[in-house]
Amino acid sequence: GQQVMQIPQYQHVQEGEDFTTYCNSSTTLSNIQWYKQRPGGHPVFLIQLVKSGEVKKQKRLTFQFGEAKKNSSLHITATQTTDVGTYFCAGRGSNYQLIWGAGTKLIIKP
Amino acid sequence: ETGVTQTPRHLVMGMTNKKSLKCEQHLGHNAMYWYKQSAKKPLELMFVYNFKEQTENNSVPSRFSPECPNSSHLFLHLHTLQPEDSALYLCASSQEGRLAANTGELFFGEGSRLTVL
């Protein structure tokens, strides 16, 4: 079946360093969504990308959708303690249901 | 306040118990979902209700039984669960078109943390 692989599983960074998570799909996606889940919380929608090659920015967060609409990335510049949490991608597959990545946990080193 | 309310927040039950999880959305959405979230696994879609009709069940064991009496309420009835069913159960809602591809963002509740002994 359709799968979305998300890497890395964890990323430890010093505050102020950058963070990136990547998602790769086995098939072409119609769109991709990104969510953030704070520790002990629930997933919260961040953004949706629809067009091939699309790039969107939200302050220090940059989201990209690949030209083939099979991969996507989220990059955070100069991480802050408020960025801590798990970031999930979710792609719309051929049956229009969301296919979720396993998430990347962002950990800020003390 | 997310607009999606789940109760109870925590539930401990034995394998022979019967319990129910409740979800209510105050957003006027027409689609509701049950997801299972286990550690180190992707979110698992269990059930989808679109316009109150179940459209997806993803081969969930029959010990989980959903009920959607109207577009604002969703229940998950639990019966003779197994310890491996212990997880966070998340309810979500979205606004979807009847004929168009589903493209809405999901609004999640805070989840019901289930422990099966």
Side-chain angles (χ1 to χ4, degrees):
Chain A
Q2 293 179 297
Q3 292 185 9
V4 171
M5 302 301 294
Q6 187 172 0
I7 57 169
Q9 189 176 356
Y10 302 94
Q11 190 166 1
H12 295 76
V13 300
Q14 297 278 5
E15 189 174 3
E17 292 182 337
D18 293 355
F19 162 85
T20 306
T21 174
Y22 301 91
C23 286
N24 288 290
S25 169
S26 55
T27 57
T28 302
L29 302 169
S30 55
N31 58 54
I32 193 159
Q33 297 177 352
W34 285 90
Y35 292 78
K36 176 184 178 181
Q37 185 172 19
R38 293 180 185 275
H42 56 276
V44 175
F45 176 81
L46 294 176
I47 208 160
Q48 177 169 280
L49 304 172
V50 180
K51 299 177 184 174
S52 169
E54 190 169 14
V55 178
K56 287 189 176 180
K57 292 192 175 185
Q58 291 179 349
K59 297 182 180 178
R60 295 177 293 104
L61 278 62
T62 302
F63 303 84
Q64 296 189 19
F65 200 12
E67 294 289 342
K69 300 183 73 171
K70 283 186 170 184
N71 56 73
S72 183
S73 65
L74 158 60
H75 180 81
I76 303 177
T77 304
T79 55
Q80 300 175 359
T81 55
T82 53
D83 296 324
V84 162
T86 301
Y87 293 84
F88 294 94
C89 62
R92 291 278 180 189
S94 57
N95 64 356
Y96 303 116
Q97 291 298 340
L98 283 176
I99 309 163
W100 290 81
T104 296
K105 191 171 184 178
L106 169 57
I107 300 163
I108 305 284
K109 297 177 193 175
Chain B
E1 176 57 50
T2 67
V4 179
T5 305
Q6 287 188 244
T7 55
R9 294 291 309 279
H10 301 273
L11 178 63
V12 179
M13 60 187 288
M15 287 169 27
T16 57
N17 292 158
K18 285 186 183 181
K19 297 285 184 183
S20 296
L21 306 180
K22 179 183 176 183
C23 178
E24 183 176 1
Q25 58 101 356
H26 317 278
L27 301 169
H29 290 165
N30 57 16
M32 296 186 76
Y33 311 78
W34 279 116
Y35 278 91
K36 177 183 179 182
Q37 186 173 39
S38 306
K40 301 181 182 179
K41 283 181 152 185
L43 279 165
E44 299 174 55
L45 178 64
M46 300 176 72
F47 300 102
V48 179
Y49 278 84
N50 200 326
F51 299 99
K52 296 193 296 178
E53 295 175 0
Q54 184 176 315
T55 58
E56 191 92 18
N57 73 353
N58 285 309
S59 302
V60 177
S62 59
R63 56 187 184 267
F64 295 92
S65 174
E67 179 189 0
C68 188
N70 54 60
S71 58
S72 298
H73 293 85
L74 186 63
F75 295 89
L76 187 63
H77 302 301
L78 315 171
H79 178 50
T80 59
L81 295 191
Q82 305 298 312
E84 61 264 28
D85 296 322
S86 298
L88 180 67
Y89 288 85
L90 289 160
C91 173
S93 71
S94 67
Q95 184 61 31
E96 306 295 338
R98 184 180 285 276
L99 297 178
N102 292 348
T103 58
E105 65 187 85
L106 298 186
F107 291 78
F108 284 88
E110 295 187 8
S112 295
R113 173 71 60 186
L114 173 67
T115 303
V116 182
L117 301 176

